[in-house]
Amino acid sequence: MYVVDEGRVSLRQVRLGERRDGNRHLCSMAARLYLDDAHEAVGVVEDFSLGGCRVRLDRSLVKVGTTLYLDLPARGTCHHGVVVWARGMEVGIRFSARRTRVSRGGE
């Protein structure tokens, strides 16, 4: 069961293989993904938590296991992470322990 409260989605039902750090925050933020194979993709972050996020992409070229930087110009941040699931044009990204750095969009 998903419970929506003031823009957050809490998971009361734990699905197999799904683990999350913190609550999801529903959003709509422009994002650019810099992939480990020198490709780029653009999309919109649809939910965000301390441990990761869900992104709807402009194309489905990102595969599970891909490491990337998720650039969020509106927040001035860039997060290192790995794709943990991919379904069509959406991907789930788990953030690594690497420190968040300044957005490339702010350079």
Side-chain angles (χ1 to χ4, degrees):
M1 163 193 283
Y2 295 101
V3 179
V4 179
D5 178 32
E6 298 178 18
R8 293 188 310 244
V9 178
S10 298
L11 293 178
R12 293 206 178 163
Q13 173 186 8
V14 177
R15 291 187 273 164
L16 288 177
E18 182 174 345
R19 302 212 168 126
R20 172 174 334 279
D21 292 333
N23 291 327
R24 290 187 209 194
H25 297 276
L26 299 177
C27 60
S28 181
M29 278 188 287
R32 181 171 299 276
L33 284 70
Y34 297 95
L35 310 176
D36 61 359
D37 60 2
H39 286 92
E40 294 181 19
V42 295
V44 176
V45 175
E46 295 185 333
D47 70 51
F48 194 89
S49 73
L50 292 175
C53 64
R54 176 173 49 100
V55 181
R56 179 173 296 278
L57 299 170
D58 64 339
R59 54 195 158 152
S60 60
L61 65 86
V62 182
K63 297 181 182 345
V64 172
T66 301
T67 58
L68 52 79
Y69 282 99
L70 175 74
D71 187 17
L72 302 172
R75 296 186 72 186
T77 61
C78 192
H79 304 267
H80 183 265
V82 63
V83 175
V84 293
W85 61 263
R87 286 184 217 107
M89 306 283 277
E90 288 189 335
V91 295
I93 299 169
R94 181 178 60 228
F95 299 140
S96 72
R98 287 192 194 177
R99 185 178 294 265
T100 301
R101 59 192 187 91
V102 175
S103 168
R104 291 182 181 194
E107 292 180 348

